[in-house]
């Protein structure tokens, strides 16, 4: 996978080093992780400013809109959260900060996934997964815990062929 800045004028993927040379690097709203499969994960430059319970966080992420891409945004999956953590070695933190966004270092970030039925049957169905930016682990927390959320959208090449 590779990290890019999404050009707000044409939605093109621009290498971070090249985006550093533009007149206003903070004009961009999105960073992208491009996978070898051709999928692209678009990540908003900011997470929610406040911590909120899971249902509110899901509404916040799904309500996110951007003119660059006309995809539906949502909270990341557990796998996407881990990919964002892995992308720290590829420059995602630098890319987010370059466009005026928040680095994903600290705090908890909700994922869009509830805990499994197996866990819900043993504990409580009112739990969802979250990514811990402090240590990179995935945990589960009560829906009423407060964490922030990073809106993302996944583009898959097969979507454009339909």
């Amino acid at each position: 996978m590779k990290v890019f800045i999404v050009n707000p004028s044409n939605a093109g993927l621009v290498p971070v080093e090249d985006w550093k040379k533009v007149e206003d690097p903070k004009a961009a709203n999105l960073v992208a992780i491009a996978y070898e499969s051709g999928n692209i994960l678009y990540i908003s430059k900011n997470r929610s400013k406040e911590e909120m319970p899971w249902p509110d966080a899901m509404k916040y992420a799904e309500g996110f809109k951007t003119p660059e891409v006309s995809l539906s945004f949502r909270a990341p999956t557990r796998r996407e959260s881990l990919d964002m953590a892995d992308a720290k070695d590829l420059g995602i933190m630098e890319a987010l900060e370059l466009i005026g966004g928040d680095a994903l270092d600290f705090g908890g970030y909700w994922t869009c996934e509830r805990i499994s039925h197996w866990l819900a049957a043993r504990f409580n169905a009112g739990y969802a997964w979250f990514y811990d930016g402090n240590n990179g682990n995935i945990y589960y927390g009560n829906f009423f815990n407060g964490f922030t959320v990073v809106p993302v959208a996944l583009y898959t090449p097969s979507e454009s062929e339909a």
Side-chain angles (χ1 to χ4, degrees):
M1 65 185 172
K2 293 182 181 179
V3 174
F4 295 93
I5 306 295
V6 180
N7 187 330
S9 64
N10 63 11
L13 301 183
V14 180
V16 176
E17 288 303 313
D18 292 346
W19 192 254
K20 288 179 181 178
K21 300 171 188 170
V22 302
E23 187 175 320
D24 183 13
K26 294 184 179 181
N29 294 309
L30 303 171
V31 167
I33 296 174
Y35 296 94
E36 290 179 18
S37 65
N39 292 349
I40 300 168
L41 182 66
Y42 294 98
I43 304 158
S44 72
K45 72 176 174 182
N46 288 338
R47 62 181 188 262
S48 58
K49 293 296 180 195
E50 61 186 56
E51 295 182 348
M52 57 185 78
W54 188 80
D56 294 344
M58 296 307 99
K59 289 177 189 170
Y60 176 91
E62 290 166 5
F64 183 83
K65 302 282 185 242
T66 180
E68 289 92 334
V69 295
S70 59
L71 298 170
S72 297
F73 281 80
R74 58 174 168 69
T77 64
R78 286 178 290 163
R79 177 72 255 162
E80 290 164 348
S81 295
L82 292 172
D83 287 347
M84 288 190 288
D86 289 346
K88 288 179 181 179
D89 291 336
L90 304 174
I92 194 169
M93 305 294 262
E94 178 186 15
L96 286 166
E97 290 172 342
L98 177 65
I99 65 172
D102 300 321
L104 304 174
D105 271 340
F106 300 103
Y109 309 93
W110 283 116
T111 75
C112 62
E113 298 177 62
R114 293 175 173 233
I115 62 169
S116 68
H117 293 295
W118 185 89
L119 282 173
R122 284 153 185 78
F123 298 103
N124 184 323
Y127 285 84
W129 298 102
F130 70 92
Y131 165 75
D132 186 340
N134 292 313
N135 60 27
N137 289 331
I138 297 287
Y139 299 107
Y140 62 90
N142 186 287
F143 283 171
F144 298 104
N145 288 351
F147 299 110
T148 57
V149 63
V150 179
V152 302
L154 182 66
Y155 167 80
T156 58
S158 60
E159 289 175 359
S160 64
E161 296 167 6

